[in-house]
Amino acid sequence: MRAMLHPVRQFAARLRATSDSAECLLRFDTVPQEVVLSRAEAVAGALSEVMPGWGCRSLPGAPSEAVPVTRVTAEDSGRYSYQSWWSRAPLTDLGLAGATCGVVADLVQSYCDARPEMIGLHCGAVEVGGHLLAFTGPYRAGKTTLVTRLAAEPGVRLYCDDVLPVNPDGQGVALGVQPRLRLPLPEGVSDGFRAYVADHLTVQDRRYGYVRCDGQAPLGTQAPLAGLIVLRREASGPARLHRMRVADAVAHMIRQNIADPGETEAHYDRLAALGAQLFCATLVYSDLEEAVQVVRDLCAAPQLPGGGVQIGPMLPPDPVEAETVPADLAQVFCRAEEVSAREIGQDVFLWQMAGRNFFRLNPVAGAVWALLEEPCYGHDIAETLAEVFVGTPQTMIADDLSDLLGQMCARGLVRAEG
């Protein structure tokens, strides 16, 4: 199993040969974004491998004050710290693939920011049978694993596993970034897919691995978005499709858009118009291979859905939401590792590196996250909120905070201590 392909080592060797200091500056042809690497030449080689069409080049000089700057520093342990332009605090103790993932996320965000006419859907996307499908869903729904498995199929083109820019005319744009899987792969994946991943791993560390897909669509490839599939993974049961109301699909797109939405009403109208043009459904599955076959059958005809594909009735809201356990405010809460806050337009997102998940925060949730800059008791947070929301019963504040912290703990954003 290879740690990295030869181009990665060659790129890093060129940097070491041409650099007079322990720090180097990377610029990119596609985005107004710079990356400063301190003793971290391997990250430059990794970026060249996982996003080959982005024009990564090393240049002399200091970083510009006019563009976002991301910093990656090699720690004495041999691991890395990553400081995003959009975050106040760095993430530390990262492996090579983890540090690379952070930089990729910043570059993709800059790509969207530089093209305000686009939306940026947090999803995986593949083109199957001439139909470009976007796959989204709740935390740990398995979108990256599914689109990577689909990309191993003949004739399937991978557009993204994380963010799909969409033009005003509904054309999805490929970013040309290799998908990244959490390692080791989950139990239950087929031996064939496990062997495929092992043979196609490029940049990896003990937690994550990027995968080279033969069907990867190059950066800038465009196709009309044809469908939005919301994933719901269950412990058992056959893979199947269920109808979805356009309004529900639009709600998913609003929540999953990482680009600056601009004026709210116009943004909603645009997404509503896009949703009305799409085939929208929920894909419930427990077995990955069954899910792949359902998608292939769905795309087997010139128009979605393919003939003979059975689509069940609409489903009730995801039951996972109802199972969240309220938090005990007598506990001490702190931010989880590998989670950072990003301000995108007027919104605050939490970005979770483990699954590259984005969570949009409302103003109250954003205030709670700010208060968690240092570990603190839940009751202390409730008292602070009571000083802000004068006139709101303290019991209501405590109940709402307990629910919020319970949700954040369930999603791995916050940890409870003692």
Side-chain angles (χ1 to χ4, degrees):
M1 193 178 294
R2 298 164 293 181
M4 287 180 286
L5 294 181
H6 291 303
V8 180
R9 296 195 293 269
Q10 292 170 353
F11 193 102
R14 289 200 301 272
L15 285 179
R16 288 193 294 270
T18 58
S19 177
D20 295 327
S21 69
E23 192 168 272
C24 68
L25 176 68
L26 301 181
R27 292 195 175 114
F28 301 82
D29 295 339
T30 49
V31 291
Q33 167 88 21
E34 296 175 350
V35 178
V36 174
L37 303 178
S38 297
R39 306 185 311 277
E41 299 92 345
V43 174
L47 292 170
S48 180
E49 167 64 36
V50 305
M51 47 196 326
W54 285 63
C56 178
R57 49 202 167 89
S58 175
L59 296 173
S64 170
E65 296 181 358
V67 301
V69 177
T70 298
R71 297 179 181 273
V72 179
T73 302
E75 300 172 342
D76 293 340
S77 64
R79 294 174 69 77
Y80 300 92
S81 69
Y82 148 73
Q83 176 65 64
S84 170
W85 173 263
W86 288 271
S87 299
R88 295 181 180 179
L91 299 178
T92 60
D93 193 32
L94 302 178
L96 177 59
T100 301
C101 171
V103 179
V104 170
D106 278 6
L107 294 172
V108 170
Q109 187 65 59
S110 284
Y111 184 96
C112 293
D113 289 350
R115 297 160 178 82
E117 75 281 1
M118 288 181 167
I119 59 174
L121 289 181
H122 179 47
C123 66
V126 293
E127 188 177 14
V128 185
H131 306 292
L132 180 59
L133 301 179
F135 296 89
T136 187
Y139 176 54
R140 292 186 176 176
K143 64 180 177 59
T144 296
T145 305
L146 177 57
V147 298
T148 305
R149 171 61 186 87
L150 282 164
E153 292 283 290
V156 175
R157 292 207 297 178
L158 175 73
Y159 271 57
C160 68
D161 77 314
D162 190 32
V163 175
L164 178 70
V166 181
N167 284 318
D169 62 358
Q171 295 277 324
V173 182
L175 288 178
V177 179
Q178 292 178 357
R180 188 206 65 162
L181 294 172
R182 190 178 182 93
L183 300 177
L185 293 176
E187 296 182 4
V189 301
S190 68
D191 292 341
F193 181 54
R194 195 177 296 277
Y196 175 88
V197 171
D199 188 54
H200 290 76
L201 278 172
T202 58
V203 178
Q204 62 176 297
D205 54 33
R206 64 194 185 201
R207 297 189 64 184
Y208 307 110
Y210 283 88
V211 179
R212 172 182 49 82
C213 297
D214 297 333
Q216 181 104 43
L219 172 67
T221 305
Q222 298 190 23
L225 185 61
L228 178 74
I229 309 296
V230 176
L231 301 178
R232 180 182 289 189
R233 190 161 57 178
E234 296 184 343
S236 61
R240 59 198 186 276
L241 289 168
H242 289 265
R243 294 185 179 86
M244 172 173 285
R245 294 190 310 138
V246 171
D248 292 334
V250 172
H252 276 282
M253 289 192 286
I254 291 173
R255 288 193 297 268
Q256 301 287 17
N257 175 37
I258 71 161
D260 186 349
E263 199 277 319
T264 302
E265 186 172 350
H267 177 64
Y268 175 81
D269 289 344
R270 176 185 171 189
L271 289 179
L274 176 61
Q277 300 172 8
L278 303 179
F279 169 78
C280 304
T282 301
L283 172 57
V284 182
Y285 74 103
S286 59
D287 181 82
L288 181 63
E289 298 302 317
E290 289 185 4
V292 168
Q293 189 59 54
V294 168
V295 174
R296 297 222 62 148
D297 292 344
L298 172 69
C299 297
Q303 298 293 327
L304 297 179
V309 175
Q310 294 186 348
I311 303 177
M314 289 183 289
L315 295 171
D318 195 326
V320 172
E321 296 293 331
E323 294 174 359
T324 301
V325 178
D328 180 359
L329 299 187
Q331 294 178 301
V332 174
F333 296 90
C334 63
R335 297 174 179 177
E337 297 175 358
E338 296 195 12
V339 177
S340 59
R342 291 171 170 236
E343 294 185 5
I344 302 173
Q346 300 299 312
D347 296 316
V348 176
F349 288 76
L350 295 187
W351 181 66
Q352 187 178 52
M353 182 176 290
R356 283 187 296 189
N357 292 301
F358 288 86
F359 299 87
R360 189 189 300 263
L361 302 183
N362 62 29
V364 175
V368 171
W369 181 259
L371 292 171
L372 288 170
E373 186 170 357
E374 298 292 339
C376 55
Y377 284 97
H379 287 310
D380 292 340
I381 299 175
E383 290 180 4
T384 301
L385 294 176
E387 295 174 3
V388 176
F389 298 97
V390 179
T392 303
Q394 291 192 1
T395 54
M396 180 181 296
I397 291 175
D399 289 345
D400 289 349
L401 176 62
S402 178
D403 289 340
L404 173 63
L405 289 173
Q407 293 172 16
M408 297 176 88
C409 287
R411 288 156 179 75
L413 305 173
V414 168
R415 291 188 293 108
E417 299 181 341

